[in-house]
């Protein structure tokens, strides 16, 4: 089919960090600078630069689980997931 998007997914790792960073920076740091760190144990606090550094540290240490969505070579979206220990601030109450 012509014109149908073809997406690929890759985990957020040190190797894909620059793709994630470019996506987040293109979107004002996500909600003005949270860098998708708010659900992590340290939560939000400090500056956008602090949040970026924390997210990059989690990426290097393997304490973040996130899938990047690619359209060709460009990351166009992401989804964060993880255990309650990794993301204690996420509201995921068992029914």
């Amino acid at each position: 089919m012509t014109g149908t998007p073809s997406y690929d997914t890759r985990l957020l790792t040190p190797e894909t960090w620059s793709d994630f960073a470019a996506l987040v920076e293109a979107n004002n740091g996500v909600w003005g600078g949270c860098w998708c760190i708010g659900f992590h144990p340290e939560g939000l606090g400090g500056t956008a630069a602090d949040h970026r550094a924390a997210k990059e540290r989690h990426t290097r240490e393997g304490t973040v689980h996130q899938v990047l969505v690619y359209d060709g070579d460009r990351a166009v979206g992401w989804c964060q997931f993880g255990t309650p220990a990794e993301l204690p601030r996420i509201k995921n109450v068992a029914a």
Side-chain angles (χ1 to χ4, degrees):
M1 290 177 78
T2 309
T4 302
S6 176
Y7 299 109
D8 181 32
T9 58
R10 301 175 204 159
L11 289 174
L12 175 59
T13 65
E15 293 74 29
T16 60
W17 169 258
S18 62
D19 298 336
F20 175 70
L23 177 60
V24 171
E25 288 165 354
N27 289 282
N28 194 27
V30 185
W31 295 317
C34 79
W35 277 83
C36 207
I37 198 74
F39 296 137
H40 287 280
E42 63 269 51
L44 295 172
T47 67
D50 295 332
H51 300 156
R52 183 189 197 284
K55 190 66 165 200
E56 188 170 12
R57 184 177 59 254
H58 276 289
T59 302
R60 279 193 323 271
E61 294 174 357
T63 55
V64 64
H65 291 93
Q66 207 161 298
V67 174
L68 302 177
V69 180
Y70 286 80
D71 182 5
D73 290 332
R74 186 173 64 98
V76 295
W78 76 92
C79 178
Q80 180 169 268
F81 62 96
T83 66
E86 291 173 346
L87 303 170
R89 297 175 186 279
I90 201 163
K91 294 179 173 90
N92 185 10
V93 180

